[in-house]
């Protein structure tokens, strides 16, 4: 297959982003999506810049050798000096099935620093997980947190590497709690915090989100359920927050509950609402492409009503223009609710 149509597509995408890139650089941001294949005529291919790292990823099929060379050559000319890492994620165990050699492996596993909206974060082309350490489409959410968090207590659920928490602390939040099940994610979050001159010390809680939310909500988490001992979990005092950020994965199952953002988002939202002060703000995220904004928005409103909470205002936060959408329905949906 000729690489010419692909080069034409990435060139068109780069040209379309020039105004955005110039604006982002003015905001001390050097991380953005350069090519979003699902909406730019090459589904299954993404190209992201994280500072000096150029991260190429494939999700449906690996690149042909000439395609990879063509992409690397194009960006070597358009953005000289970047280090390229290619991750083929089209098969299971892709890190094993797609080994790198020598210097290429060393470059892929090197920790690097990049900037977004004046904040510093770590990235590593390859690590023990699959996804990059910061999701670039969530820039819109982190931007909004910088505007919202001053003077507020913040609960960051499914915190991953704590980008939302770092933004909240930098914005002047009085108290920030990051909750994630994976110690490795929180360790990166702690490093992200150290990279920035934050006015407060954030709290990092390694816990299943259901167990944490039940305790913060004052419901409590039992150690025994239906005669079975639950896995160990940290004991937390009841506390409500001014601002709660809920960004769950698509699906996860544990002894404490099932995360299913397509079929049962309400199970999470009900508990998140119970952790949110009356008059506070709950920001909900959903990355399931097959679920429309209208259908999901209706689910959120019905859940709040059933929980006895009034939604005074709902606002949709759109991903920024390096994540273009054909129909105004980007996969990532972010709903800000005043409750």
């Amino acid at each position: 297959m000729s690489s010419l149509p692909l080069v034409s597509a990435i060139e068109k995408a780069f040209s379309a982003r020039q105004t955005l890139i110039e604006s982002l650089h003015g905001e001390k941001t050097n991380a953005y999506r350069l090519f979003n294949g699902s909406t730019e005529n090459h589904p299954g291919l993404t190209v992201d810049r994280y500072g000096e790292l150029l991260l190429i990823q494939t999700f449906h099929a690996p690149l042909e050798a000439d395609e990879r060379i063509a992409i690397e050559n194009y960006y070597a000319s358009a953005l000289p000096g970047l280090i390229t890492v290619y991750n083929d994620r089209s098969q299971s165990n892709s890190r094993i099935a797609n080994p790198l050699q020598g210097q290429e492996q060393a470059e892929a596993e090197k920790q690097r620093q990049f900037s977004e909206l004046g904040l510093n974060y770590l990235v590593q082309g390859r690590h023990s997980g699959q996804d990059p350490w910061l999701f670039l489409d969530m820039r819109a959410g982190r931007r909004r947190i910088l505007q919202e968090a001053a003077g507020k207590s913040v609960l960051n659920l499914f915190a991953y590497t704590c980008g939302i928490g770092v933004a909240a602390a930098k914005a002047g939040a009085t108290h920030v709690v990051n909750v994630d099940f994976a110690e490795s994610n929180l360790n990166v979050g702690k490093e992200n915090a150290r990279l920035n001159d934050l006015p407060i010390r954030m709290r990092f809680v390694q816990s299943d989100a259901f167990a944490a939310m039940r305790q913060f909500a004052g419901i409590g988490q039992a150690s025994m359920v239906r005669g079975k001992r639950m896995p160990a979990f940290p004991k937390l005092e009841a506390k409500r927050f001014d601002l709660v950020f809920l960004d769950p994965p698509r699906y996860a199952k544990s002894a404490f509950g099932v995360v299913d953002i397509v079929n049962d988002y309400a199970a999470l939202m009900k508990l998140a609402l119970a952790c949110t002060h009356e008059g506070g703000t709950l920001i909900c995220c959903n990355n399931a492409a097959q679920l429309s904004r209208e259908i999901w928005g209706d689910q959120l409103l019905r859940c709040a009503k059933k929980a006895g909470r009034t939604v005074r205002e709902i606002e949709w936060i759109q991903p920024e223009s390096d994540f273009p959408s054909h129909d105004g329905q980007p996969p990532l949906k972010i709903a800000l609710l005043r409750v």
Side-chain angles (χ1 to χ4, degrees):
M1 175 182 171
S2 171
S3 61
L4 288 177
L6 176 56
V7 172
S8 178
I10 64 175
E11 183 176 12
K12 182 180 178 181
F14 187 66
S15 178
R17 285 163 170 77
Q18 287 309 296
T19 299
L20 173 68
I21 290 173
E22 183 178 343
S23 174
L24 290 174
H25 286 182
E27 296 179 304
K28 298 181 180 179
T29 297
N30 61 3
Y32 33 79
R33 175 148 293 181
L34 289 162
F35 186 73
N36 193 55
S38 61
T39 55
E40 294 181 295
N41 296 319
H42 204 94
L45 170 67
T46 62
V47 183
D48 294 317
R49 179 183 182 179
Y50 289 88
E52 68 176 9
L53 175 68
L54 185 76
L55 182 62
I56 302 169
Q57 298 192 95
T58 44
F59 298 87
H60 298 166
L63 291 170
E64 298 291 342
D66 67 319
E67 291 178 317
R68 180 177 173 183
I69 291 169
I71 293 173
E72 293 185 7
N73 286 345
Y74 175 80
Y75 289 114
S77 175
L79 293 168
L82 302 187
I83 304 298
T84 301
V85 171
Y86 170 48
N87 286 337
D88 172 37
R89 298 172 58 180
S90 60
Q91 302 175 39
S92 60
N93 299 318
S94 56
R95 292 185 310 282
I96 299 170
N98 182 33
L100 300 175
Q101 304 297 326
Q103 185 62 26
E104 193 177 27
Q105 181 76 13
E107 293 288 4
E109 294 181 349
K110 181 179 178 181
Q111 288 191 2
R112 305 171 193 276
Q113 190 173 319
F114 67 94
S115 299
E116 181 191 82
L117 303 174
L119 292 166
N120 301 313
Y121 299 97
L122 285 179
V123 66
Q124 189 171 311
R126 288 196 176 181
H127 53 88
S128 59
Q130 287 277 25
D131 294 312
W133 281 344
L134 202 74
F135 293 108
L136 296 181
D137 56 349
M138 189 55 77
R139 184 194 314 119
R142 292 185 290 271
R143 183 188 295 278
R144 189 55 181 266
I145 288 295
L146 284 167
Q147 300 165 357
E148 289 279 335
K152 296 178 181 177
S153 56
V154 177
L155 175 60
N156 182 23
L157 296 163
F158 302 98
Y160 193 39
T161 58
C162 308
I164 290 293
V166 169
K170 188 66 174 181
T174 58
H175 184 57
V176 177
V177 179
N178 300 286
V179 177
D180 198 271
F181 182 73
E183 182 181 16
S184 58
N185 292 342
L186 292 177
N187 285 340
V188 177
K190 291 173 183 177
E191 290 302 315
N192 284 336
R194 291 189 188 103
L195 291 177
N196 296 280
D197 183 21
L198 301 180
I200 61 169
R201 290 188 65 181
M202 295 194 294
R203 186 177 179 189
F204 301 87
V205 177
Q206 185 188 353
S207 174
D208 185 284
F210 282 104
M213 285 191 287
R214 289 182 185 122
Q215 292 180 85
F216 284 136
I219 300 168
Q221 174 61 61
S223 298
M224 298 284 292
V225 176
R226 291 187 291 276
K228 293 184 178 180
R229 182 166 295 282
M230 301 295 283
F233 58 90
K235 303 301 187 289
L236 304 168
E237 294 184 2
K239 177 178 175 58
R240 285 193 171 190
F241 296 81
D242 303 315
L243 173 58
V244 175
F245 199 94
L246 178 62
D247 185 18
R250 182 185 181 88
Y251 184 87
K253 186 176 181 180
S254 76
F256 298 97
V258 176
V259 174
D260 185 344
I261 66 173
V262 175
N263 299 303
D264 194 11
Y265 199 97
L268 294 165
M269 184 184 174
K270 181 180 178 182
L271 286 172
L273 278 168
C275 298
T276 309
H277 275 306
E278 292 283 347
T281 299
L282 173 62
I283 300 179
C284 296
C285 306
N286 189 314
N287 203 32
Q290 74 267 39
L291 198 62
S292 74
R293 191 175 79 175
E294 288 71 25
I295 290 174
W296 184 56
D298 184 60
Q299 290 176 359
L300 297 181
L301 294 175
R302 285 190 283 111
C303 177
K305 184 176 181 180
K306 191 172 181 180
R309 299 292 291 270
T310 300
V311 177
R312 297 174 287 114
E313 176 188 349
I314 182 169
E315 178 185 344
W316 295 100
I317 301 170
Q318 291 281 105
E320 297 182 3
S321 60
D322 48 337
F323 288 83
S325 169
H326 288 311
D327 55 5
Q329 292 272 1
L332 175 61
K333 294 164 282 291
I334 308 174
L336 183 150
L337 297 95
R338 309 291 187 189
V339 295

